[in-house]
Amino acid sequence: MEFLNRLLGIDPNYIIIGLIALFFTLEQIMGSPFNFQKRAHHLLQNVLFQIVLVGINIFFVTFQVFSIDWLNNNGVGLLYLFELPIWAKLIVSVAFYDITAYWIHRATHKIPLLWRFHRVHHSDTTMDSSTVFRFHPIELTMVFGLGNIVTAAVFGTDVFSMALYYFILYIFFFFEHANLNYPKWLNSTFGLIFVMPDHHRVHHQQDQFYTDSNYADIFILWDRIFGTFKTMPLEKMKFGLVEFEDDNKQTFLYLIKSPFINIKRTTSAPDKRTPTTLKK
């Protein structure tokens, strides 16, 4: 537990910097399934989202921690009805945060107002490790951030377990989004329980039939249980959204204001889908 305390005591920004440095470097020097150009420019556009989020989080994280601590101090939530060992409570709490995020994620695809913000993440036509940053700051704070407080209110999770959840989540996010070749056996082993890159690539497929699937972040079990799990061959994948394919709609400034623009959702016809360029 002391080791875990020290690990979670590390500034999350340092962890994120380390992960993007690792995965982005691996993408440049190792084999990757998709042939994308202008990686430095793409990285810059996506990093700008993270810079804005860090600024907002100076205020929002304080509010989030205060709210969860208040709920814990007043014994609010399901976990206060049971006595569990610390390790068991941590595992269950991480699962609670993850399943709440699963349902919120589903809602962001189905509720038009929420989709306006969430489509910023799906707009990326050349997904790589830096796509982890391409979330609208309002969505991360006012939707998923408030969702963490709801999780604490319903289940009795605490700030420490939330920190553990985010530590695991960061690793999975970079793992899932990275433009790297992964062994196929991952899907039939760890992929029975956890989200694998091939699962999440389906979620970023341009065809809405596939985009509206594989919502889980850590445990793919939620998609398997609730009927939202789908697969498709790697060579048929085309990332992004049709309505965001123009280069001028891939810039930070356009994307940050895009939720406030009325943009009709478009889906490619089955016979006109062009797969993202695969490396040969």
Side-chain angles (χ1 to χ4, degrees), residues 74-226:
N74 286 276
V76 178
L78 182 64
L79 287 175
Y80 286 95
L81 302 178
F82 306 93
E83 282 291 335
L84 292 175
I86 294 177
W87 63 266
K89 185 176 180 180
L90 281 174
I91 294 172
V92 170
S93 294
V94 168
F96 282 148
Y97 278 116
D98 197 52
I99 195 171
T100 302
Y102 166 85
W103 285 106
I104 292 175
H105 194 175
R106 285 188 68 167
T108 63
H109 280 245
K110 301 301 181 182
I111 300 173
L113 177 60
L114 297 184
W115 173 249
R116 281 176 171 254
F117 290 92
H118 188 61
R119 69 188 177 193
V120 171
H121 182 62
H122 280 272
S123 68
D124 202 338
T125 58
T126 61
M127 187 176 76
D128 67 6
S129 57
S130 73
T131 305
V132 171
F133 299 142
R134 192 185 286 209
F135 281 95
H136 201 285
I138 291 178
E139 179 188 29
L140 287 184
T141 53
M142 302 308 294
V143 180
F144 287 97
L146 290 178
N148 291 331
I149 298 175
V150 172
T151 304
V154 174
F155 298 113
T157 54
D158 57 21
V159 173
F160 186 76
S161 60
M162 183 177 70
L164 177 60
Y165 165 68
Y166 272 103
F167 178 82
I168 298 170
L169 183 65
Y170 293 147
I171 296 172
F172 268 83
F173 265 8
F174 284 100
F175 174 63
E176 293 162 8
H177 289 87
N179 182 26
L180 292 170
N181 285 315
Y182 295 101
K184 293 297 181 183
W185 57 261
L186 287 175
N187 299 327
S188 57
T189 53
F190 296 106
L192 297 176
I193 299 175
F194 301 104
V195 179
M196 294 293 108
D198 283 350
H199 299 154
H200 199 69
R201 284 165 177 164
V202 173
H203 182 70
H204 278 268
Q205 158 67 14
Q206 194 177 82
D207 186 342
Q208 187 178 346
F209 175 78
Y210 292 100
T211 308
D212 294 344
S213 69
N214 298 7
Y215 297 105
D217 294 323
I218 297 175
F219 297 104
I220 198 65
L221 281 174
W222 312 136
D223 288 289
R224 295 185 184 278
I225 291 170
F226 298 111

